[in-house]
């Protein structure tokens, strides 16, 4: 019974494709790809792999689904370095990411370049990849994040300016666990008083390996706590 169940699960996993010249009304196959990452994210389920062809995609992607243990939802750039998600002209309301995962598990993001996401507002925090809430088994592998910027003025009310390349905020009662951030490059980030990469709050179990952080104007990599991110003091440290 167990073997039959596993075979059924594997059989249900699919490969989908996205291209700038695609069509979201198509079936997402290799010969008829979808056009946007957001639409692909809305369709993907446990075990699926979304292959994204090179080109520029001007969109924010909020991932609405989780995978499952052994059945990741994977978003993979077909040509790493030339598959670009560009935030130019997109608004930033509060803390938002070009890629954003809230209370998600078993997602793998691999090989993308995320860039040009910025704000001049003190109340906005642009982020390349944002993970919040709780979850298990998120993997960020071999992505490039560049030109994320806060250009806000520090005013008399002491409101600062903040931005991140990668930000992980464990702000739920259940932790973020089994997090992998490996082989990413973070560069040319205008961070204000923040970090190129931050792991903040209720995060219990992470690996940060072989990342290259350079040409940023503040802290590089920070695993931190006691900033009021976690739900209480006992759950407020990575």
């Amino acid at each position: 019974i167990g073997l039959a169940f596993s075979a059924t699960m594997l059989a249900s996993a699919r490969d989908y494709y996205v291209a700038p010249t695609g069509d979201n009304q198509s079936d997402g196959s290799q010969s008829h790809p979808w056009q946007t990452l957001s639409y692909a994210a809305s369709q993907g389920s446990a075990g699926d792999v979304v292959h994204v062809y090179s080109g520029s995609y001007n969109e924010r992607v909020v991932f609405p689904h989780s995978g499952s243990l052994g059945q990741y939802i994977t978003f993979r750039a077909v040509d790493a370095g030339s598959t670009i998600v560009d935030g130019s002209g997109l608004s930033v309301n509060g803390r938002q990411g070009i890629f954003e995962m809230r209370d998600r598990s078993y997602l793998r993001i691999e090989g993308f370049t995320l860039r040009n996401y910025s704000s001049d507002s003190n109340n906005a925090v642009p982020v390349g990849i944002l993970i919040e809430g709780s979850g298990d088994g998120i993997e960020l592998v071999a992505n490039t994040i560049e030109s994320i910027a806060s250009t806000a003025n520090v005013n008399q009310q002491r409101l600062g300016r903040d931005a991140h390349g990668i930000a992980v905020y464990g702000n739920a009662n259940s932790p973020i666990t089994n997090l992998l951030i490996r082989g990413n490059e973070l560069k040319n980030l205008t961070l204000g008083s923040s970090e190129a990469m931050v792991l903040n709050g209720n995060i219990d179990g992470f690996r940060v390996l072989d990342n290259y952080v350079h040409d940023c104007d503040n802290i590089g990599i920070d695993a931190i706590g006691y900033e009021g991110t976690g739900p209480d003091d006992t759950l407020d440290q990575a």
Side-chain angles (χ1 to χ4, degrees):
I1 295 173
L3 289 174
F5 178 68
S6 298
T8 300
M9 289 180 65
L10 290 171
S12 67
R14 296 189 59 182
D15 288 277
Y16 293 111
Y17 297 84
V18 179
T21 56
D23 183 348
N24 288 343
Q25 300 302 312
S26 71
D27 60 6
S29 64
Q30 189 168 13
S31 56
H32 299 94
W34 291 320
Q35 185 178 37
T36 66
L37 295 165
S38 296
Y39 185 78
S42 74
Q43 301 301 303
S45 59
D48 292 344
V49 179
V50 178
H51 306 270
V52 183
Y53 287 114
S54 61
S56 185
Y57 302 83
N58 182 225
E59 57 179 312
R60 288 183 62 244
V61 184
V62 179
F63 292 86
H65 304 301
S66 294
S68 59
L69 182 63
Q71 292 281 92
Y72 277 72
I73 298 174
T74 299
F75 275 69
R76 179 176 294 139
V78 173
D79 297 304
S82 60
T83 304
I84 297 161
V85 188
D86 194 297
S88 296
L90 302 181
S91 63
V92 186
N93 298 305
R95 184 168 61 215
Q96 290 188 311
I98 298 177
F99 282 178
E100 192 167 306
M101 288 158 266
R102 297 176 185 271
D103 301 316
R104 298 290 171 247
S105 296
Y106 303 111
L107 285 168
R108 181 182 292 117
I109 307 298
E110 183 177 343
F112 291 89
T113 296
L114 294 89
R115 68 184 188 190
N116 299 336
Y117 193 45
S118 65
S119 176
D120 61 4
S121 170
N122 297 109
N123 298 314
V125 181
V127 184
I129 300 178
L130 175 62
I131 301 169
E132 288 203 69
S134 64
D136 191 31
I138 299 292
E139 298 187 356
L140 310 178
V141 178
N143 302 286
T144 298
I145 301 174
E146 59 182 334
S147 302
I148 310 297
S150 173
T151 58
N153 292 321
V154 179
N155 61 26
Q156 292 180 346
Q157 286 75 40
R158 301 183 65 82
L159 291 173
R161 59 182 180 88
D162 300 278
H164 302 282
I166 294 173
V168 185
Y169 282 90
N171 49 17
N173 286 310
S174 297
I176 292 171
T177 59
N178 296 313
L179 174 69
L180 175 64
I181 303 175
R182 186 184 72 215
N184 303 280
E185 182 177 9
L186 285 70
K187 62 181 179 178
N188 300 324
L189 305 177
T190 304
L191 305 166
S193 59
S194 289
E195 307 89 355
M197 183 192 304
V198 66
L199 283 64
N200 194 329
N202 191 12
I203 303 168
D204 187 4
F206 60 87
R207 290 174 293 159
V208 176
L209 305 170
D210 302 322
N211 299 282
Y212 180 30
V213 181
H214 62 97
D215 295 288
C216 304
D217 69 348
N218 203 42
I219 297 167
I221 300 175
D222 196 4
I224 196 170
Y226 304 109
E227 290 198 326
T229 298
D232 59 57
D233 282 350
T234 65
L235 301 174
D236 197 17
Q237 63 280 327

